[in-house]
C-alpha cells in the first residue's frame, strides 16, 4: 500500500517547485515537461505531450473494462507579481500561481501515482493537464487537437481550491455551478483639444463616464430580477493628459450570466447604450463583444456521485451542495459541453488570501484531500 504521508510530502515538494516556476498560458513548456516526466516514472501506459499546444494527457489502464473517465488539472499561472517572502516564492518576475493551479497539478499527479501503484479500478483513467485555463482557451485548444478522438472518455471530473472554505471541505452543485463570461470593449472617438476650450471639440471622457454609469442599468432595469446577470467595467483608458482633453477612450470589462438569452440581452442593451450616449455627446462608439467562457453545468447524476464520494471521504459535515451558483467562470465547462461530469470545490482554508491576489498561496494541507477525491471517484466510476 502507498504510504500517504510520504506521498503528501512528495506532492508538497512538487507543488512548491511549480509555484516557484510559474508559466503563462500556452507557455507551460517546463511545467508540461515536469508533469510528463513524473507520469512516466509512475509507469503509466501512455504519456502524450503537446496536446493543444502544451497540454499533457496520461493514460492508465487496468482490467478489461471498456469505459474511461478523465481527471483534469490546469497548469497555467497569472500575470501577477507575487508579494511575501516564502521560500517557494515565484522566481519568474511578473508571473505567479495566484489561483492554485500548482496545487491542482500536484494533487492530480499524486492521484496518478497512487492509482498506478494500487489500481483498484477496471477500465481507463485519463489524466488531463490543461494549459491556458485563465484565458478560457486551453480546453478548446486540446479539443481542437483531437483530445476526444485520440484519448476518448465517457465522463470527466475536476477540482478547484476555494479560499474561505475549511481545508478538507467539499462543495459542488448539480446543473448550473459557474457562469459564462463575456468580454467587452467600447471605443469612443471624438475630437480632443485644450482643457481650457472644451467647446472647440467633442472630447470623449464625459461620454465615457456617462456610458459607465448607464451600463449599470442593464442588470438593474433590462434583466428579469429572477435571472442572474453581472456587468462590470474594469478599465477606462484615454489618450488625454492633465491639460488635454482626450479624443479616444476605451471602456473594458466583462459580463456574467448563466443563459445564452441573458448574454445576448446584455450585448444588445450595451450596444444601444453605447450608440445612444455617443450620439448625445457628438462622438462615435464602437462595441466589441466576445464570449470567452460558457456556463459550467454539472451533470445531476454525476454530481450526486461526487457528493457520495465526498461524504465517504470527508464525512457528511464536511460536504455540501452549494445553495446557489457562483459568477466566476471556468474553462472546464468546455469539456462538460461534450461529456457529462462534475466540477467541485475543495477548501483552501478560512484565512486564505483570495484567488488572484498577490498574497495568495495554495494550502499544502489540501493536497491529500484532492488526491483522494480524484482516486476515489475513478475507482467508484470504474468499479471492478
Amino acid at each position: 500500500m502507498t504510504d500517504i504521508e510520504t506521498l503528501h510530502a512528495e506532492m508538497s515538494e512538487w507543488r512548491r517547485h511549480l509555484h516557484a516556476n510559474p508559466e503563462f498560458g500556452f507557455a507551460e513548456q517546463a511545467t508540461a515537461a515536469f508533469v510528463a516526466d513524473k507520469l512516466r516514472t509512475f509507469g503509466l501506459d501512455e504519456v502524450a505531450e503537446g496536446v493543444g499546444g502544451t497540454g499533457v494527457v496520461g493514460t492508465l489502464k487496468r482490467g478489461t473494462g471498456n469505459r474511461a473517465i478523465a481527471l483534469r488539472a490546469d497548469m497555467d499561472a497569472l500575470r501577477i507579481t507575487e508579494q511575501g517572502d516564502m521560500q517557494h516564492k515565484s522566481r519568474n518576475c511578473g508571473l505567479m500561481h495566484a489561483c492554485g493551479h500548482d496545487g491542482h497539478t500536484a494533487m492530480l499527479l499524486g492521484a496518478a501515482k497512487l492509482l498506478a501503484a494500487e489500481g483498484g479500478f477496471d477500465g481507463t483513467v485519463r489524466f488531463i493537464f490543461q494549459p491556458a485555463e485563465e484565458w478560457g482557451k486551453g480546453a478548446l485548444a486540446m479539443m481542437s487537437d483531437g483530445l476526444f478522438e485520440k484519448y476518448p472518455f465517457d465522463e470527466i471530473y475536476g477540482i478547484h481550491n476555494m479560499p474561505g472554505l475549511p481545508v478538507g471541505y467539499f462543495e459542488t452543485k448539480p446543473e448550473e455551478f459557474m457562469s459564462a463570461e463575456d468580454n467587452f470593449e467600447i471605443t469612443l472617438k471624438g475630437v480632443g483639444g485644450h482643457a481650457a476650450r472644451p467647446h472647440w471639440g467633442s472630447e470623449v471622457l464625459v461620454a465615457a463616464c456617462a456610458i459607465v454609469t448607464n451600463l449599470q442599468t442593464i442588470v438593474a432595469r433590462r434583466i428579469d430580477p429572477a435571472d442572474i446577470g453581472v456587468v462590470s467595467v474594469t478599465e477606462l483608458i484615454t489618450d488625454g493628459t492633465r491639460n488635454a482633453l482626450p479624443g479616444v477612450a476605451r471602456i473594458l470589462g466583462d459580463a456574467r450570466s448563466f443563459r445564452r438569452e441573458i448574454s445576448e440581452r446584455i450585448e444588445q442593451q450595451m450596444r444601444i447604450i453605447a450608440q445612444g450616449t455617443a450620439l448625445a455627446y457628438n462622438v462615435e462608439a464602437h462595441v466589441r463583444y466576445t464570449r470567452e467562457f460558457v456556463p459550467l453545468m454539472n451533470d445531476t447524476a454525476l454530481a450526486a456521485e461526487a457528493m457520495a464520494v465526498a461524504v465517504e471521504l470527508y464525512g457528511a459535515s464536511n460536504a455540501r451542495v452549494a445553495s446557489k451558483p457562483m459568477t466566476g467562470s471556468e474553462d472546464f465547462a468546455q469539456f462538460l459541453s461534450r461529456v457529462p461530469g462534475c466540477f467541485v470545490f475543495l477548501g483552501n482554508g478560512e484565512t486564505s488570501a483570495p484567488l488572484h491576489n498577490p498574497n495568495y498561496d495554495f494550502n499544502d494541507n489540501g493536497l491529500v484531500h484532492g488526491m483522494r477525491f480524484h482516486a476515489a471517484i475513478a475507482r467508484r466510476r470504474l468499479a471492478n
Side-chain angles (χ1 to χ4, degrees), residues 6 24 37 48 52 75 87 108 152 158 206 269 284 295 302 315 346 353 360 367:
T6 300
F24 196 63
D37 178 67
M75 300 187 295
Q87 188 174 3
L108 186 54
V206 174
Q269 292 301 311
E284 297 178 12
L302 297 187
L346 283 177
Y360 169 87
L367 291 170

Side-chain angles (χ1 to χ4, degrees), residues 39 44-48 56-60 124-129:
L39 293 176
L44 268 67
D45 297 275
E46 181 184 5
V47 178
V56 178
V57 179
T59 298
L60 182 65
T124 300
V125 180
R126 311 282 192 193
F127 301 92
I128 297 175
F129 294 85

Side-chain angles (χ1 to χ4, degrees), residues 32-341:
F34 179 88
V35 166
D37 178 67
K38 293 298 179 187
L39 293 176
R40 290 189 178 101
T41 65
F42 302 159
L44 268 67
D45 297 275
E46 181 184 5
V47 178
E49 299 181 70
V51 183
T54 46
V56 178
V57 179
T59 298
L60 182 65
K61 299 180 179 180
R62 292 291 184 270
T64 59
N66 59 10
R67 296 188 67 253
I69 75 161
L71 308 172
R72 174 270 205 176
D74 35 19
M75 300 187 295
D76 57 321
L78 288 152
R79 286 186 175 134
I80 293 176
T81 299
E82 186 166 8
Q83 297 178 9
D85 55 0
M86 300 176 298
Q87 188 174 3
H88 57 278
K89 182 178 178 180
S90 172
R91 299 170 190 158
N92 296 339
C93 184
L95 290 173
M96 177 192 173
H97 272 297
C99 203
H101 296 186
D102 50 342
H104 304 162
T105 297
M107 65 174 65
L108 186 54
L109 283 173
K113 183 169 186 177
L114 181 73
L115 289 171
E118 297 183 359
F121 64 94
D122 182 24
T124 300
V125 180
R126 311 282 192 193
F127 301 92
I128 297 175
F129 294 85
Q130 181 203 313
E133 187 281 326
E134 297 290 354
W135 285 28
K137 304 297 183 184
L140 285 174
M142 296 188 82
M143 291 160 64
S144 296
D145 201 14
L147 175 70
F148 284 97
E149 294 74 26
K150 298 174 185 175
Y151 317 101
F153 49 89
D154 302 295
E155 53 196 63
I156 186 168
Y157 300 86
I159 296 173
H160 203 294
N161 78 95
M162 186 53 60
L165 293 179
V167 173
Y169 198 94
F170 172 98
E171 185 176 84
T172 193
K173 181 183 178 299
E175 300 179 346
E176 301 96 340
F177 191 37
M178 301 182 73
S179 74
E181 179 188 344
D182 305 338
N183 290 172
F184 62 85
E185 180 175 345
I186 303 171
T187 302
L188 300 176
K189 295 182 179 179
V191 179
H194 201 291
R197 297 180 175 86
H199 58 290
W200 283 14
S202 53
E203 57 88 16
V204 295
L205 186 53
V206 174
C209 290
I211 288 175
V212 170
T213 301
N214 289 336
L215 289 178
Q216 306 312 306
T217 66
I218 296 176
V219 173
R221 288 294 179 267
R222 295 293 178 264
I223 302 297
D224 188 326
D227 283 308
I228 296 175
V230 179
V231 176
S232 295
V233 173
T234 56
E235 296 180 84
L236 174 54
I237 305 164
T238 76
D239 64 347
T241 188
R242 176 63 66 87
N243 64 345
L245 297 170
V248 176
R250 295 165 57 226
I251 303 166
L252 293 86
D254 71 20
R256 312 286 174 135
S257 60
F258 289 89
R259 296 197 295 121
R260 180 75 180 203
E261 307 93 279
I262 302 303
S263 171
E264 291 173 351
R265 178 73 165 162
I266 290 171
E267 179 184 4
Q268 176 194 47
Q269 292 301 311
M270 184 175 294
R271 292 185 183 279
I272 290 171
I273 288 170
Q275 296 298 334
T277 307
L279 181 63
Y281 285 89
N282 195 30
V283 298
E284 297 178 12
H286 304 274
V287 179
R288 181 174 179 269
Y289 196 97
T290 60
R291 291 173 174 85
E292 306 297 327
F293 290 81
V294 298
L296 192 152
M297 307 288 288
N298 281 334
D299 181 84
T300 300
L302 297 187
E305 288 285 279
M307 182 59 66
V309 168
V311 169
E312 182 179 338
L313 291 175
Y314 317 127
S317 61
N318 291 313
R320 73 179 181 192
V321 175
S323 60
K324 57 186 177 180
M326 70 171 292
T327 49
S329 301
E330 168 59 57
D331 201 23
F332 186 84
Q334 294 289 355
F335 297 129
L336 293 180
S337 70
R338 292 283 299 271
V339 296

